[in-house]
Amino acid sequence: MNARRGRIPLSERVYRALQRDLAAGVLVPTERLGEERLAETYGVSRTPVREALARLLSDGLLERHTDGLYPYRPRVDDLGDLYELRIVLEARGIQRLQSTATGLPEIVAPVSRAETPRPVEPFDTAAVRRELEFWRRLREHPPEPDAELISADERFHTTLLLAAGNSALADALSTVQARVRPVRSLDMPTPGRIAAMAEDHIAIAEHLLAGDLETALRALLAHLASSRAHVLTRARRALELTRLARAVRE
């Protein structure tokens, strides 16, 4: 990982590698992230590791205990809060488009349901159209559940916010996604959920491209509410099974 002029700085490369390994569950959540061990693992000195860990702590992907830094492990209530934040961020993207459509300041309430849907500018329709085609292909040829599917799902949602013209909203969403990703990576969707995910994404994109923002918003909120309920149910069930496992032995 030797840094060279014109290439990505070493600390940035270590940061991205740690971020990737945290998301994939390579770094055990219950083990302390020692600088010396990580420096050996990534083949670098302790300085870029220290800088990367500081950034990850600031991102909320690590948490500090009395004996050092550990991967962030959300409580069930934390998961619920993070999904609530997702809902606020993603809904705001469409509401921003609604305000633009009416010619009102963005902070004003969105367009009423009675108004006629119409195309919105500025709006990156090309990016949304690419996502629509991607999910249509995925619907026809469902993939095996893996990390790439999770990444594709995250990309769809950040693309919608970027298409709405506010990169700060998209950056905030990416941070939320990174904190939830380890949990999602350990609970891959079933074929049925993959199909439902594809149908939801297709419907949201089609409504957006048709300029039917109210219906797009309702579809998005229903999709996020379903995802939130599923993750919380699975997390609570996992805790119950863990307690049960402690009560028995082979």
Side-chain angles (χ1 to χ4, degrees):
M1 276 194 173
N2 293 328
R4 294 181 182 177
R5 184 176 300 176
R7 294 193 176 184
I8 299 173
L10 190 55
S11 61
E12 177 69 21
R13 293 168 65 187
V14 175
Y15 169 76
R16 294 182 185 182
L18 278 166
Q19 193 178 51
R20 180 193 64 236
D21 290 345
L22 283 167
V26 174
L27 300 172
V28 181
T30 54
E31 289 187 7
R32 184 175 67 87
L33 299 175
E35 291 179 9
E36 186 173 350
R37 179 171 60 85
L38 291 173
E40 181 178 349
T41 298
Y42 296 107
V44 298
S45 68
R46 294 175 63 175
T47 299
V49 170
R50 187 180 304 117
E51 293 172 353
L53 290 176
R55 287 181 62 186
L56 291 166
L57 179 64
S58 177
D59 291 343
L61 299 181
L62 303 181
E63 50 191 10
R64 189 182 296 282
H65 295 185
T66 55
D67 61 337
L69 297 175
Y70 288 78
Y72 169 70
R73 297 173 66 195
R75 300 187 303 272
V76 173
D77 287 345
D78 293 336
L79 284 173
D81 292 345
L82 288 168
Y83 267 86
E84 183 177 350
L85 179 55
R86 273 195 68 183
I87 291 169
V88 171
L89 291 170
E90 297 194 47
R92 182 59 194 146
I94 295 181
Q95 290 166 348
R96 189 172 188 274
L97 293 174
Q98 289 176 315
S99 299
T100 303
T102 62
L104 298 174
E106 291 173 9
I107 199 64
V108 177
V111 63
S112 69
R113 299 182 184 208
E115 295 192 27
T116 303
R118 56 194 175 103
V120 179
E121 297 295 343
F123 177 52
D124 188 354
T125 56
V128 177
R129 199 168 282 116
R130 285 193 296 270
E131 284 296 318
L132 175 58
E133 293 307 314
F134 173 87
W135 287 96
R136 281 174 172 170
R137 291 193 300 271
L138 186 144
R139 179 176 59 183
E140 295 302 317
H141 307 284
E144 292 295 324
D146 56 17
E148 289 187 8
L149 177 63
I150 301 301
S151 296
D153 175 55
E154 292 178 351
R155 187 192 65 233
F156 173 84
H157 290 276
T158 53
T159 295
L160 295 191
L161 281 181
L162 288 171
N166 191 322
S167 60
L169 288 174
D171 288 344
L173 177 61
S174 293
T175 298
V176 173
Q177 289 173 332
R179 299 185 76 183
V180 175
R181 191 181 302 131
V183 176
R184 296 190 67 198
S185 297
L186 294 174
D187 181 34
M188 288 295 172
T190 62
R193 283 199 61 77
I194 293 174
M197 180 191 302
E199 291 293 345
D200 287 353
H201 287 181
I202 290 168
I204 295 166
E206 287 179 341
H207 291 311
L208 281 174
L209 291 171
D212 190 351
L213 302 181
E214 185 65 33
T215 304
L217 179 57
R218 288 199 302 270
L220 175 65
L221 293 177
H223 172 68
L224 293 175
S226 175
S227 296
R228 181 180 186 272
H230 174 78
V231 168
L232 293 180
T233 298
R234 295 284 290 176
R236 292 188 179 107
R237 180 58 179 160
L239 287 176
E240 292 172 3
L241 290 174
T242 299
R243 296 190 187 102
L244 179 61
R246 291 172 181 164
V248 299
R249 62 181 180 180
E250 293 183 0

